[in-house]
Amino acid sequence: MSRVPVRPAALGATALAAALVLAGCSAGGGSSNSSSGGPTKTLVVDNTFDLKTSDPARAFELTGSIVDKAIYETALTFQGDDTTKPLPQLATFKESSDNKVLTLTLNGKHAFSSGNPVTIDDIVWSYKRVQAIAGNPSFLLTDQSTGKNLDIAKTSSTTMTITDTNPNPALPFILPNPSLGVLDSKVLTKHGGTTTKSDGAEQYLNGHSAGSGPYALTSYSATTKVVFGPNPHYVGSKPTYGRVVLQNVTGPSQKIDVQGNQAQIATGLNAQQVQGIGSSLKVLKSTSPDVGYLWLNQNPTYGKGVTNNAAFVTAVRKGLNYQDILAVAGTGSSQPGGMVPSQFLGSIKPDATNTYDASAAKAALTKAGYKGQTVTLSYPTDATLSGVEFSTLAQKVQSQLEAVGVKVKLAGTPISTLLDAYRAGKLQAGIMYWGPDFPDPSDYTTFSPGEALGLRAGWAASMSPEVTKAKQAAEASTGTGRAAAYEAWQRAANQNGPFVPLLQPARYFVTASSVTDVKPNAVWTVDLAAIK
Amino acid sequence: MTQLDERAETAARASRPGGRLSSPLVRYIAIRLVVSLLLLVGVTIVTFVLTNLVPASPVTAALGERASSDPKIVAAFKAAQGLDKPLPVQYAIYLGHLLQGNLGTSIQTHDAVTQDLAAAFPATVELALFVIVLSVIIGLGLGLIAALRHNRLPDQIIRVVSLLGISVPTFWLAVAVYFLFFFVLHWAPGSGRLDPADTPPPTVTGLFTVDALLAGQPAVFFDALSHLVLPGLVLTLYTVGLLVRFARSAILDVLSQDYVRAARAKGLPGGQVVFRYVLRGALLPILTIVGLAFGSLLSGTVLTEQVFAWGGIGQYAFRAATALDLPAVLGVGLIVGVVYIATNFVIDVIYGVVDPRVRVG
């Protein structure tokens, strides 16, 4: 082909120059650093969103709890990261001697962002709305054993009662949940809010604040960012930051954001990502209240005569090298002794039942009559345990069990498909996690024979009477005897049950050096208003 | 029919009342519109069936551990989402709502899907427009250089660069580019569509750059423009890689045509030959690939949007799919279908404008 007499280099240069001028113009315009200049101090917090709504009565996600904690006050609260002691916020509380009646008394004067005062009617209305909507958090105000709604009643202009038919000593630990945030009933009723299942205030609440918390919503998007401004009528200490941006960013980008001061706090980094993050940043390490556990199905149909063998369960417990698993999960992770996380009342330390002993594991396998059958281990492929990949944990479990002679086949599936089979109790074995609904050991008795989580592992009500008895004793316990009762229940479950607690992963917050008072909390992750 | 006969027929059509283009083009557009509508119905059926074939329940995906164990809550959720009805009835209800412009309520965001799409789609459109403009300029330029310098050093370099653009994994490139230009060099702003300290302009189009100009906010305009650069660069590298290869090939074809040789033989200047004859002749295949690339960009670029926290249709689709948010998945499926159908339609119309033979056909 002959050459066309044209100047292609000049032509290309023109095209490139045009593109670069366009890019150059735009690149020059923005600022690479946002944060805290100007009259209003802005705090940018990176979070990987699971946000669905900011309506407290419908929200029960981690991001939702951060949002609602900032906007709404609750009757009771916790201080900082201490979830062992409920404290008054909108109300003081008193429990009856039988733990069936909790009396709330209005605690001083509080005001909603509308300027309306918080009344006892607002608290009653908000709780009844939670019950009526029957959303994710409605179980917080139901009796755990009967499933019936707790009775909520106004008893005077400043007092109300919450009554359960069974002792409910966990209630003071449940009420600080941001899902039980108190709403401005006068404003809400004008925007479709009711205490019936036909409530239509959610859309309003996803764009406006109706709370008495330190912040009010400036803008809201469940997929990109939530921006908060001050609540002018908040009666507590004024937050340090006049504007907070909570934005949806994935883990790797969070790291770059916080390194480049695009964000001042990153909440979604794992152990690997915080390594070498830089000395100009602070890494706050705490233990996550999430418990990763392994289960072995006790239903003969799904256990296939292998996992539903008590000696086989013992072999697995003894065959796992827990310290090795913690090493995979990264520094800061710890081994819980039972299903109750280490930071809650009634937690236990690991004992002989869940300590690595290869020879004991092999002996138990012989006792079980194990003949080399393959055990299928299911796990979610698209979820992490505070940043720790389930596939990594599953591979580690597989290699450890194969070292003592158990054949394991890994079966990773997306969590949305895994959950169906898991909840139906049809999986032979697997790895999953449980995050706390409220910081009380009674949240964990569901890991008992015949209970919801127990049944997922084929652990029928009749199977381990000693565990059932210990669980009933724990649930009936009150006062100082509760811790010992829940400890006894977990020891019984470790002796006889199909659940093997593996780890509580570390949780990392990375912050700019200028940021202080970031306190990880098991209930609401982090209190934005407390950050300085 | 000879070429002369065709010209005569064309002239006869043009002389008839109704104008030169109207009858064949209008008929063509009408047929395409009907086909497009049928395609859209097909898209809804396929998406609906596929999302319901997934071996998982949206109830399980949406409700928490406690709530999913409570029959009362599960029943309330199913009733609210219409999941308590047989599948054909669910589809009929969906279609009925669709005709009224109602795509249902997202399980993930609890907002109307139309509202979610209205928020996410402009973000993707803005990015896609930025990328396609840059890509066409650069891709066409480089493709032209490569063709004119066929088998010489510039051609080899451009081919390697375009191959790299296509081959480098987007997720890696996006993180690497973000790290380098934002954190190391400080040449570009961070993630998102605006600086976190900035407030978006009043919404008119949803395109922050346009809305900022309409609102007379130049600082916000430049901020929005600067945030387009890094995600735009990542996507442009890929799109340019694609365009260069097609442009080069199409231009090489045209360069060997008789009429180009004739133009050169007549002594026309090189630039005139290239711009008047070569580029025009190569335009149709290039238009096709530009259309497809634009459609692809408009359908969402999941990985790039994830890394840059862009909040576009790709990020929305990803979250909807992983959470089994059926109304949102259906909404995204529909909008992607509309995008491709509309893009193809526009390209076909441009064909007609660029090449008279298409009009006649």
Side-chain angles (χ1 to χ4, degrees):
Chain A
M1 189 186 69
S2 61
R3 187 181 164 199
V4 175
V6 68
R7 290 171 173 264
L11 195 68
T14 309
L16 275 171
L20 289 172
V21 164
L22 183 59
C25 281
S26 50
S31 156
S32 64
N33 189 343
S34 61
S35 54
S36 50
T40 302
K41 279 185 85 174
T42 298
L43 176 73
V44 181
V45 181
D46 277 4
N47 178 263
T48 305
F49 275 21
D50 61 356
L51 185 62
K52 292 179 180 175
T53 176
S54 73
D55 181 348
R58 292 178 167 91
F60 203 62
E61 294 75 39
L62 294 175
T63 309
S65 69
I66 300 175
V67 171
D68 286 339
K69 175 63 183 167
I71 302 172
Y72 299 98
E73 289 184 293
T74 44
L76 307 182
T77 189
F78 295 115
Q79 180 69 41
D81 53 2
D82 181 3
T83 54
T84 62
K85 191 178 175 189
L87 298 167
Q89 189 168 55
L90 290 174
T92 58
F93 71 102
K94 188 179 177 190
E95 289 177 283
S96 63
S97 56
D98 60 0
N99 286 127
K100 289 184 178 177
V101 181
L102 185 82
T103 303
L104 296 175
T105 304
L106 220 49
N107 180 32
K109 289 185 178 175
H110 294 257
F112 293 110
S113 52
S114 65
N116 291 335
V118 177
T119 66
I120 208 76
D121 291 312
D122 291 313
I123 305 178
V124 170
W125 189 87
S126 301
Y127 287 179
K128 287 191 169 178
R129 184 169 175 268
V130 170
Q131 291 178 323
I133 285 171
N136 265 330
S138 71
F139 79 93
L140 294 171
L141 295 177
T142 60
D143 181 283
Q144 300 300 309
S145 53
T146 64
K148 289 183 179 170
N149 283 342
L150 305 182
D151 183 52
I152 292 157
K154 176 183 176 183
T155 47
S156 78
S157 61
T158 56
T159 61
M160 60 177 284
T161 55
I162 305 173
T163 307
D164 198 343
T165 49
N166 293 304
N168 194 346
L171 203 48
F173 295 86
I174 292 173
L175 295 187
N177 195 301
S179 290
L180 300 179
V182 174
L183 302 155
D184 188 338
S185 60
K186 293 183 188 69
V187 168
L188 261 287
T189 47
K190 289 176 188 166
H191 294 93
T194 67
T195 56
T196 69
K197 64 180 180 182
S198 61
D199 173 86
E202 183 179 14
Q203 294 309 310
Y204 177 79
L205 288 169
N206 282 343
H208 305 83
S209 296
S212 58
Y215 286 112
L217 275 182
T218 300
S219 70
Y220 171 89
S221 161
T223 52
T224 55
K225 68 169 75 168
V226 182
V227 182
F228 305 89
N231 169 5
H233 299 285
Y234 179 57
V235 298
S237 303
K238 191 179 170 188
T240 301
Y241 294 92
R243 187 168 184 266
V244 177
V245 180
L246 180 68
Q247 56 183 11
N248 183 16
V249 182
T250 56
S253 298
Q254 282 191 27
K255 180 175 180 175
I256 301 172
D257 272 6
V258 78
Q259 284 176 319
N261 202 27
Q262 161 91 355
Q264 286 71 58
I265 301 176
T267 60
L269 301 183
N270 62 27
Q272 281 72 41
Q273 287 165 334
V274 298
Q275 282 176 2
I277 191 113
S279 56
S280 63
L281 298 169
K282 288 191 290 193
V283 178
L284 307 174
K285 187 170 66 183
S286 61
T287 303
S288 165
D290 295 343
V291 174
Y293 60 89
L294 181 149
W295 87 90
L296 299 157
N297 204 316
Q298 300 304 292
N299 184 330
T301 305
Y302 303 107
K304 298 172 183 172
V306 182
T307 60
N308 56 316
N309 179 319
F312 183 85
V313 176
T314 302
V316 170
R317 284 183 184 281
K318 299 281 188 184
L320 292 172
N321 186 335
Y322 300 91
Q323 295 309 310
D324 209 18
I325 290 171
L326 296 184
V328 167
T331 55
S333 51
S334 65
Q335 183 196 355
M339 290 306 300
V340 177
S342 57
Q343 53 267 69
F344 294 171
L345 178 91
S347 62
I348 58 173
K349 295 196 180 303
D351 57 20
T353 58
N354 41 18
T355 300
Y356 175 60
D357 185 341
S359 54
K362 287 173 183 172
L365 276 184
T366 305
K367 186 182 172 188
Y370 177 68
K371 294 184 173 62
Q373 301 97 316
T374 299
V375 173
T376 303
L377 186 74
S378 301
Y379 61 92
T381 51
D382 54 349
T384 67
L385 181 58
S386 293
V388 181
E389 298 283 345
F390 277 96
S391 55
T392 308
L393 291 175
Q395 285 162 17
K396 182 54 78 176
V397 166
Q398 181 191 37
S399 67
Q400 291 182 353
L401 291 182
E402 291 195 339
V404 295
V406 179
K407 282 186 184 168
V408 177
K409 178 187 164 193
L410 298 184
T413 50
I415 194 159
S416 56
T417 49
L418 176 74
L419 278 175
D420 258 0
Y422 172 50
R423 288 176 179 172
K426 292 179 178 176
L427 300 174
Q428 189 181 21
I431 301 177
M432 192 50 85
Y433 79 101
W434 182 264
D437 299 309
F438 48 88
D440 188 80
S442 59
D443 188 33
Y444 294 83
T445 51
T446 184
F447 291 90
S448 295
E451 298 295 331
L453 268 287
L455 290 172
R456 290 179 192 179
W459 205 15
S462 59
M463 280 182 166
S464 304
E466 60 278 32
V467 179
T468 302
K469 193 176 165 189
K471 172 227 160 197
Q472 287 166 344
E475 287 179 338
S477 65
T478 57
T480 53
R482 293 188 77 219
Y486 278 100
E487 288 168 14
W489 161 68
Q490 286 173 96
R491 290 200 182 91
N494 282 352
Q495 288 284 348
N496 303 283
F499 296 103
V500 185
L502 296 176
L503 78 159
Q504 285 180 247
R507 181 163 63 183
Y508 299 94
F509 286 166
V510 176
T511 77
S513 57
S514 58
V515 173
T516 61
D517 286 20
V518 180
K519 298 276 174 63
N521 185 286
V523 180
W524 50 71
T525 308
V526 64
D527 180 1
L528 299 175
I531 297 169
K532 293 185 168 51
Chain B
M1 188 183 278
T2 65
Q3 282 189 341
L4 281 175
D5 292 337
E6 282 182 14
R7 281 179 197 158
E9 174 67 15
T10 307
R13 280 183 194 162
S15 66
R16 285 200 286 266
R20 273 170 61 84
L21 291 173
S22 58
S23 20
L25 197 61
V26 167
R27 192 166 60 244
Y28 172 72
I29 289 172
I31 291 170
R32 286 306 307 266
L33 277 175
V34 171
V35 170
S36 300
L37 280 174
L38 290 174
L39 274 173
L40 278 180
V41 174
V43 166
T44 63
I45 294 172
V46 170
T47 320
F48 192 85
V49 171
L50 282 180
T51 46
N52 280 285
L53 281 178
V54 176
S57 159
V59 178
T60 319
L63 294 182
E65 295 287 350
R66 295 281 190 183
S68 63
S69 305
D70 186 333
K72 187 177 64 183
I73 295 176
V74 170
F77 178 81
K78 283 185 171 178
Q81 296 293 328
L83 298 169
D84 52 350
K85 297 177 177 64
L87 212 56
V89 178
Q90 287 182 40
Y91 179 68
I93 292 172
Y94 177 76
L95 268 191
H97 288 162
L98 186 63
L99 290 173
Q100 299 166 43
N102 176 3
L103 295 176
T105 303
S106 162
I107 295 170
Q108 276 299 292
T109 67
H110 293 203
D111 286 326
V113 172
T114 46
Q115 188 182 324
D116 285 347
L117 293 175
F121 195 53
T124 301
V125 169
E126 188 167 40
L127 185 57
L129 284 172
F130 182 79
V131 170
I132 207 70
V133 168
L134 274 185
S135 300
V136 167
I137 293 169
I138 299 171
L140 210 55
L142 292 180
L144 187 59
I145 293 169
L148 296 178
R149 293 279 186 258
H150 184 48
N151 282 341
R152 291 162 183 253
L153 186 62
D155 182 28
Q156 306 292 359
I157 293 172
I158 289 168
R159 284 165 69 186
V160 169
V161 169
S162 76
L163 193 63
L164 275 176
I166 295 170
S167 314
V168 176
T170 307
F171 70 91
W172 178 85
L173 184 66
V175 173
V177 160
Y178 188 34
F179 181 76
L180 180 67
F181 290 105
F182 166 64
F183 175 58
V184 178
L185 300 172
H186 305 292
W187 286 3
S191 58
R193 296 177 69 194
L194 280 181
D195 191 293
D198 271 351
T199 304
T203 303
V204 179
T205 64
L207 278 62
F208 283 178
T209 45
V210 176
D211 289 350
L213 288 177
L214 291 175
Q217 299 176 339
V220 177
F221 167 77
F222 282 112
D223 187 20
L225 196 57
S226 70
H227 279 80
L228 279 165
V229 171
L230 287 190
L233 176 66
V234 171
L235 294 172
T236 299
L237 281 175
Y238 175 81
T239 315
V240 161
L242 206 64
L243 283 182
V244 163
R245 299 174 78 79
F246 275 85
R248 176 182 174 276
S249 165
I251 292 167
L252 278 175
D253 275 352
V254 175
L255 282 172
S256 62
Q257 296 290 317
D258 289 343
Y259 69 89
V260 176
R261 288 202 194 96
R264 285 201 304 266
K266 279 183 172 179
L268 287 178
Q272 201 174 338
V273 172
V274 167
F275 290 105
R276 185 170 292 179
Y277 297 100
V278 177
L279 277 184
R280 192 172 176 187
L283 208 52
L284 289 188
I286 294 173
L287 267 178
T288 306
I289 197 67
V290 168
L292 286 174
F294 191 51
S296 170
L297 289 166
L298 284 176
S299 310
T301 45
V302 176
L303 296 170
T304 308
E305 288 190 7
Q306 284 280 87
V307 170
F308 291 100
W310 196 251
I313 205 87
Q315 219 175 340
Y316 182 71
F318 176 75
R319 192 175 162 192
T322 51
L324 224 62
D325 184 351
L326 299 188
V329 169
L330 282 166
V332 171
L334 197 65
I335 206 164
V336 169
V338 169
V339 160
Y340 270 103
I341 289 166
T343 309
N344 281 333
F345 182 77
V346 170
I347 293 295
D348 285 348
V349 171
I350 296 175
Y351 269 23
V353 174
V354 172
D355 188 345
R357 288 171 298 185
V358 176
R359 281 181 235 157
V360 176

